[in-house]
Every structure is written in C-alpha cells, then in structure tokens.
Amino acid sequence: MTKQIINTGAAANDKSGDTLRSGANKINSNFNELYTNLGTGTALQFAIDFTISPTAGQTLQYNVATGKFQPGTAGAAGATGATGATGATGPAGATGATGASGTGSGNVNSVNGGYVDNRITRYDGTSGTNIQNSLVTISDSGAITAPNNTGSMIPFYYPNAEAFPAAANSHGALAHNHTNGKMYYAHAGLWIELANMTDVAAGATGATGATGATGATGATGPAGSSEISWSLSASGSSDYVFSGPGIVAGNTNDPILYLYRGFTYIFVNTTGGSHPLAIRVSNGGSAYTLGVSGSQTGTQTFIVPMNAPSTLYYQCTAHSGMGNVINIV
C-alpha cells in the first residue's frame, strides 16, 4: 500500500483538507500495514537492540536470547554445494516459416506454342495438348472476366421455349425465350419463369420493426446549489413562521429542521429585535457559534461544520417557546 498522506488543507480551517474521520482512517491504514509486515497484525515482532553500538562492516543479526536484532559480524561463507542434476529437456520449438514459392509461370501453353495468360482452355487428355482457347479469363484472385463483345458472351438465347433443353438435365441453368423476351431457370424438372419488374405488384407494407435500443444517457446537468435560505416571521410570541425551500403548508410553524453537514443555510429574521433567533446546543442551552455568522435580529448564516453534533436547536432568546430541533445529517 502507498503511504496515506493526510490532507491538512491550504490554510487553517479552510475546509479544504481531510475530515477528521478520513484523516483517522489514513492513520489506521498506515499503522495496520506496519503491524502486518512487522508483526502479527496486532503486535510488533520486529525489534532492534539499540544499546549496542555498531562498527564498520557489521550486519543486523537476530539474537535468540534477547529476541531482538543487534549489530554483529557475519560468519564466513559456506562451501559451494554440489551441482544439481540436469533438468528435463524443454519442449520442441515452433515450426519454422514456410519457404518462398518457387519461380515459374502460371500461363497455359496454347496449340501454337504461345502463352495465353490466365485463359480458360480446352485440354485434350489423349494428345496432351490444348486444342481451343476461350476469351474468358480467370485472374489470380479468382475473378472471371469476359471481353465486351458478342463473340465472348456466355449465351442463354433460345428462339422459344420449345427449344429449351430438358429441364431435368439442366438443373440451375438459365434460358432466354426470345419469343416473349423472358428469362427462365431450371429447377425440379421444370423451367420456371422469372417475373419482370412490371409483372410484380407492390406488396403490402410490412409490419413495423421493433423499437430501437434506448440512446445513450445525456450529460449530467450542472450541480445544484448547496445554499438554502428561509424567511422567518412570527405568530405572536408562540411560533416562528417559516417560508422557503422544503417548507409546506401545515408545517410552517416551528418546523423540525434537517441540515446537511457542509451546506450553507440562511435565516432571514423579519421580526427584527422582537424575536432574536439563536442557534443553541440544547433547548435553553448555550449558543452554538461554530459556522454561525450574521445577526440574530436580521440575516444569520449557518455553514454546518463537518463535526457538528447530530442535534442542535433554534430558539427565540426572548420567548423560549418559539423554536424546535435541528437534526444534523
């Protein structure tokens, strides 16, 4: 664990440093690591005898009699031990990379002895020669190309349907019927007509697709204010009457207040000197002044300290029945 440093703030009481609880946790963490590494976790087991003065060349050695480390002279080095047995043979290394391809041409030799690059060729297995070259070529990447002229096209032309070959022997083949200008394909012993775009009516609108996924959460809005202001009037000499954030109808007279540590609360006492407002440690007790500033008969600000007690009171200094509990959260 990295050493925990307590943040003491930039200046005294500027509230920028660690809280008492956070600082205490850091101190405990540092001591826990020392007691764990140098002892049992709850007691130290590592001690040095500082009563013996060390001399040059000495090292710390453990004294069984005192249970402490003390300076001492190291003993002579022991003899070298025997050589250990040879370890087992390691696993075989990875297979080496494939060697470079040999040189040569992928061209096909034609009938007249020339070369036709990548061209589809009819081969005579009896004579061992190429007997005819087509104009269709296959590239090194496998792409098939036919030159754009009549002599190089793959035709599907038939004058009429009667001239089609037997569908049973042509499964998957295409055929063009010149009489009606339509295309057909052979499947399951039948020549099946392919529809033209003009023959196909528009289908019904499909069902609406599923709702898309919810978009990402938007950016977090700006932080709210940590300052709350209340205006106080009076109901005779029996109650303060509050108005402002969190005060609702039916709970305006001497309400129980809940204040958060670190937040700022402003009490605007509109009764003036008739009902001075004091923040006290108890009902009728002494004034609580930490974080309190301003005037009891005018505007009074209370910045709740982090170490404030869990319960305080607000009370009129002239009429003890006016006031109630302040719960510190």
Side-chain angles (χ1 to χ4, degrees):
M1 177 190 77
T2 303
K3 182 174 72 174
Q4 302 290 304
I5 303 298
I6 297 176
N7 182 359
T8 59
N13 299 321
D14 67 351
K15 300 181 178 60
S16 66
D18 288 332
T19 64
L20 292 176
R21 181 179 179 83
S22 178
N25 285 336
K26 290 183 177 181
I27 292 173
N28 284 342
S29 295
N30 287 331
F31 274 106
N32 285 341
E33 182 163 357
L34 288 174
Y35 273 72
T36 298
N37 290 331
L38 300 179
T40 63
T42 58
L44 292 175
Q45 291 185 329
F46 182 91
I48 299 176
D49 189 349
F50 293 99
T51 62
I52 300 175
S53 299
T55 60
Q58 288 187 320
T59 60
L60 282 179
Q61 299 178 359
Y62 185 73
N63 188 323
V64 178
T66 64
K68 296 181 179 181
F69 286 87
Q70 62 185 42
T73 304
T80 303
T83 303
T86 302
T89 302
T95 303
T98 303
S101 302
T103 59
S105 171
N107 298 334
V108 178
N109 192 14
S110 68
V111 174
N112 59 9
Y115 289 98
V116 183
D117 191 20
N118 298 329
R119 184 165 294 174
I120 297 176
T121 303
R122 290 179 61 200
Y123 178 76
D124 188 331
T126 302
S127 64
T129 60
N130 300 327
I131 58 176
Q132 187 178 25
N133 294 317
S134 74
L135 298 177
V136 178
T137 60
I138 302 177
S139 70
D140 294 338
S141 63
I144 299 177
T145 304
N148 188 20
N149 58 66
T150 303
S152 64
M153 292 188 301
I154 302 175
F156 304 102
Y157 172 86
Y158 294 92
N160 49 52
E162 289 74 17
F164 288 177
N169 301 327
S170 307
H171 190 89
L174 294 174
H176 170 65
N177 183 339
H178 182 67
T179 300
N180 62 13
K182 295 185 177 182
M183 290 293 294
Y184 297 77
Y185 70 95
H187 177 72
L190 298 173
W191 282 102
I192 301 173
E193 180 182 323
L194 296 174
N196 292 327
M197 288 294 298
T198 55
D199 298 332
V200 180
T205 302
T208 303
T211 303
T214 303
T217 303
T220 303
S225 173
S226 61
E227 180 178 286
I228 295 176
S229 178
W230 289 305
S231 177
L232 283 69
S233 58
S235 174
S237 297
S238 59
D239 299 297
Y240 283 114
V241 180
F242 278 68
S243 65
I247 305 300
V248 297
N251 189 34
T252 59
N253 291 18
D254 288 343
I256 296 174
L257 300 180
Y258 293 84
L259 310 187
Y260 285 89
R261 290 179 172 87
F263 279 56
T264 300
Y265 298 87
I266 300 174
F267 300 85
V268 181
N269 187 357
T270 64
T271 68
S274 300
H275 303 287
L277 175 71
I279 297 175
R280 293 177 166 173
V281 296
S282 61
N283 187 354
S286 60
Y288 183 82
T289 59
L290 189 60
V292 180
S293 62
S295 171
Q296 293 182 347
T297 60
T299 299
Q300 191 169 191
T301 300
F302 183 22
I303 301 175
V304 184
M306 289 299 178
N307 62 347
S310 59
T311 303
L312 293 172
Y313 289 81
Y314 67 93
Q315 195 168 38
C316 175
T317 61
H319 308 94
S320 61
M322 296 178 67
N324 211 333
V325 176
I326 299 176
N327 291 309
I328 306 298
V329 182

